[in-house]
Amino acid sequence: MQWPKSPAQISPICKRGTKSTPFPVIFCNNETCACLTDPSPLRLSVLPVSASGPATNLHCNHKIQKLKGLSSSSQGVWESVTGPTLQIKTKEVETVNHSTTVRLHRHSTDHVLSPQVSGMDGARKCNKRSNKKEREKKEINTQSFYRLGTCDLPHGFQISGRFARSIHRNLEVEQPTTSAAESVPKQPFVIGVAGGAASGKTTVCDLIIQQLHDQRVVLVNQDSFYHNLSEEELMRVHEYNFDHPDAFDTEQLLCCMGKLRHWQAVDIPNYDFKSYKNGVVPKRRVNPSDVIILEGILAFHDPRVRELMNMKIFVDTDPDVRLARRIRRDTVEKGRDIRTVLDQYSNFVKPAFDDFILPTKKYADIIIPRGGDNHVAIDLIVQHIRTKLGQHDLCKIYPNLYVIQSTFQIRGMHTLIRDAKTTKHDFVFYSDRLIRLVVEHGLGHLPFTEKQVITPTGSVYTGVDFCKRLCGVSVIRSGESMENALRACCKGIKIGKILIHREGDNGQQLIYEKLPTDISDRHVLLLDPILGTGNSAVQAISLLIRKGVPESNIIFLNLISAPQASDSPDMIMFTAVLHLQLVSMRPMSTIFEFFQFGLYFFQLLKSLADVSSNYQLC
Ligand SMILES: Nc1ncnc2c1ncn2[C@@H]1O[C@H](COP(=O)(O)OP(=O)(O)O)[C@@H](O)[C@H]1O
Ligand SMILES: O=c1ccn([C@@H]2O[C@H](COP(=O)(O)O)[C@@H](O)[C@H]2O)c(=O)[nH]1
């Protein structure tokens, strides 16, 4: 996207939601439209936030106050004060030193304002920021699909709807021609840490935080959400069960965690163990961070809380050790007498551990024996978190989604195949090269067996043997464009075909299939370079499952996927591990040409047939 260089290039008014929204205008709502008539000193652009989070994506008012005080020289300040994204609701913002007033009224959609700076340098910086921000706006909740493909840097798109939530979890992207209606806040990586009282949860968290010293990490304790005790309960506090799930205000916990996940600051209560009250100590302000750790005995008890977590750790410490630590902690630190501590343990703590805490161990991704003493486990966890933080936002959340790391070569290929001026030969050549990369990455996710061979010098080399029972399945027609790459990598591979007609009942109709008879025993590489509505993918995967292929044996390879998948069926049918990936993000209309990918590819291929003898036309 070209950023405006001078006010003259700026459209005076833009209406919310119009796709052609030019930068950098401000805003609008149902009643009022306003813009900066002279935006040069303070250039702002407004992107309507996606429908995914109507009222949740709001920043604090104080940030808006800072915005009020901006002058032409304070753009940098604004950025540092507000971070990369400022979201506004129901506020009036006046740009001082300007004749213009921008009014942002309450309405159904909030807005993201992004700073712009002048000149081409500024434009580039701004574009970078904008790219980053756009990349940070994916939101998906279910975990089911796995895709593999190539991906440029994500830019502007949003995933919504059921299908999108599961299949369509990646993205990438292009420069923002985009409808801004697609902003979603950045996704933190949420870790849950559960385990019995005094098992060492806090110690483990502290060690993780120490090792992640160069990352922004916040710790939230479930203890902070203990209900306040009533006067009556206080009088008989020894009969109160602090280890029962009902002792916690889980709704408030969910609310706070939800806000943090949506990159909003929250005020978390401070529970006082001596007075048994929240509110004695002032609340703690917790700012959004890249990593959020929620720690507590019953952190995994409520499924809604569990669903917020990207990684679950259970600290598993011997009960005697826990009791010994508890006695010391409660007597020395909390000033309780030993008899009370032991009574509480036998009446409540132990039964609750058996009834509510231990049963949640099964939800853990990682169980750490010996808690903080287990340095190997903590190192591995930190390593995993670092890997996740280095990944694409959606890959942090969906372990089954793989996006090929974008390099300039890959971006270059994406650019070429999108360029209307690209020659036929280059289109075919670079599509094929890109497809080959996706196929190689996909094959890398197949299981293997260890194999020893004798080298020509007589020594033993321990290597691996390829997975033998494979087949490809291409979705006719565009999927066929991926067959050559698959054949080139897997000599003699069987390839089946599925034809899905897009305009049948429900816009999808399976009209032809030819699959290996023993497909249920094979690992299937499903080939379809473009994921549009997702309907074809749904049909194809459903068919494979009906044919007895376990979902975990399907690797879905594609190149480009579009965000408009919201009307597709519920992906619950595909909840297992499919390996997918993807790549694009442009609104469907703008990548229309790619929906003709197969047609285009093969037309070009035919016309190049004499020069491209490597290709087998189907
Ligand atoms: N590996 C350990 N060795 C010795 N003491 C420990 C160890 N881990 C934790 N502790 C002590 O046990 C008590 C409870 O640990 P903590 O991490 O607060 O557990 P939790 O958060 O599960 O209640 C603390 O006093 C802590 O110093
Ligand atoms: O007022 C209270 C509140 C809680 N407890 C006990 O604390 C532990 C949970 O704390 P961890 O730090 O997670 O171990 C739980 O067993 C409660 O019984 C309490 O004694 N008094």
Side-chain angles (χ1 to χ4, degrees), residues 220-238:
V220 177
N221 307 92
Q222 193 182 24
D223 291 351
S224 304
F225 298 90
Y226 269 118
H227 282 297
N228 267 330
L229 268 57
S230 65
E231 287 307 317
E232 200 188 327
E233 286 164 336
L234 273 175
M235 306 260 288
R236 298 154 60 158
V237 72
H238 301 314

Side-chain angles (χ1 to χ4, degrees), residues 457-476:
T457 58
S459 57
V460 176
Y461 175 80
T462 305
V464 296
D465 201 6
F466 293 138
C467 170
K468 294 264 166 16
R469 300 198 56 76
L470 291 185
C471 74
V473 172
S474 58
V475 178
I476 299 171

Side-chain angles (χ1 to χ4, degrees), residues 150 430-440 478 481-483 485-486 529 557 559 597 601:
T150 63
Y430 289 107
S431 300
D432 197 52
R433 193 178 149 200
L434 212 42
I435 291 166
R436 185 81 74 97
L437 280 176
V438 175
V439 169
E440 284 287 7
S478 53
S481 65
M482 302 176 81
E483 290 179 4
L486 184 60
L557 306 177
L559 284 187
F597 188 94
F601 188 94

Side-chain angles (χ1 to χ4, degrees), residues 171-452:
L171 37 8
E172 131 98 329
V173 205
E174 326 250 86
Q175 298 298 308
T177 49
T178 58
S179 123
E182 294 160 354
S183 300
V184 182
K186 184 172 172 167
Q187 285 279 352
F189 188 72
V190 182
I191 304 169
V193 180
S199 57
K201 299 182 295 297
T202 312
T203 309
V204 165
C205 294
D206 288 346
L207 289 169
I208 293 174
I209 293 168
Q210 263 173 35
Q211 290 201 31
L212 287 173
H213 54 87
D214 53 340
Q215 303 288 336
R216 285 187 298 170
V217 187
V218 289
L219 178 63
V220 177
N221 307 92
Q222 193 182 24
D223 291 351
S224 304
F225 298 90
Y226 269 118
H227 282 297
N228 267 330
L229 268 57
S230 65
E231 287 307 317
E232 200 188 327
E233 286 164 336
L234 273 175
M235 306 260 288
R236 298 154 60 158
V237 72
H238 301 314
E239 292 167 27
Y240 192 86
N241 188 351
F242 289 99
D243 292 67
H244 192 278
D246 292 347
F248 296 95
D249 185 347
T250 303
E251 299 308 315
Q252 200 189 358
L253 168 70
L254 275 166
C255 175
C256 287
M257 290 299 291
K259 284 184 175 168
L260 284 172
R261 276 191 88 216
H262 285 93
W263 217 256
Q264 295 171 58
V266 287
D267 292 319
I268 291 191
N270 258 314
Y271 179 76
D272 178 30
F273 282 85
K274 290 205 171 121
S275 62
Y276 307 100
K277 284 205 163 105
N278 267 316
V280 178
V281 187
K283 288 188 172 181
R284 177 170 68 108
R285 161 70 32 137
V286 175
N287 288 314
S289 286
D290 297 318
V291 180
I292 300 167
I293 307 181
L294 171 64
E295 169 272 318
I297 50 172
L298 288 161
F300 301 164
H301 182 262
D302 190 304
R304 295 167 301 166
V305 180
R306 282 201 306 273
E307 265 173 32
L308 300 173
M309 297 168 182
N310 308 119
M311 180 188 201
K312 299 185 215 59
I313 300 170
F314 190 92
V315 182
D316 197 12
T317 303
D318 182 89
D320 295 346
V321 175
R322 283 192 277 114
L323 176 60
R325 286 181 190 164
R326 186 180 177 106
I327 292 172
R328 196 176 54 199
R329 185 174 68 180
D330 285 5
T331 52
V332 178
E333 290 171 30
K334 295 184 187 166
R336 296 178 187 172
D337 67 78
I338 180 113
R339 193 195 158 120
T340 314
V341 176
L342 290 176
D343 283 350
Q344 186 191 10
Y345 186 81
S346 53
N347 292 338
F348 302 117
V349 180
K350 185 168 174 4
F353 180 80
D354 294 337
D355 294 346
F356 302 114
I357 302 171
L358 193 56
T360 66
K361 188 168 149 180
K362 64 173 173 281
Y363 300 118
D365 303 306
I366 300 167
I367 295 166
I368 312 189
R370 308 183 309 284
D373 286 340
N374 194 333
H375 297 289
V376 173
I378 289 162
D379 284 353
L380 287 171
I381 290 166
V382 169
Q383 215 175 325
H384 178 78
I385 298 168
R386 284 194 182 283
T387 307
K388 288 289 170 187
L389 291 177
Q391 285 178 347
H392 190 283
D393 259 7
L394 291 181
C395 298
K396 291 176 198 164
I397 301 165
Y398 301 103
N400 296 334
L401 166 65
Y402 285 82
V403 180
I404 293 177
Q405 198 180 359
S406 183
T407 62
F408 287 117
Q409 284 291 311
I410 289 176
R411 293 208 72 174
M413 289 185 258
H414 275 288
T415 310
L416 269 155
I417 66 169
R418 284 161 170 78
D419 187 347
K421 292 194 213 119
T422 295
T423 62
K424 296 171 181 183
H425 189 275
D426 282 355
F427 178 86
V428 172
F429 180 85
Y430 289 107
S431 300
D432 197 52
R433 193 178 149 200
L434 212 42
I435 291 166
R436 185 81 74 97
L437 280 176
V438 175
V439 169
E440 284 287 7
H441 273 76
L443 293 172
H445 287 266
L446 288 167
F448 58 87
T449 45
E450 197 178 286
K451 184 180 181 183
Q452 289 191 333

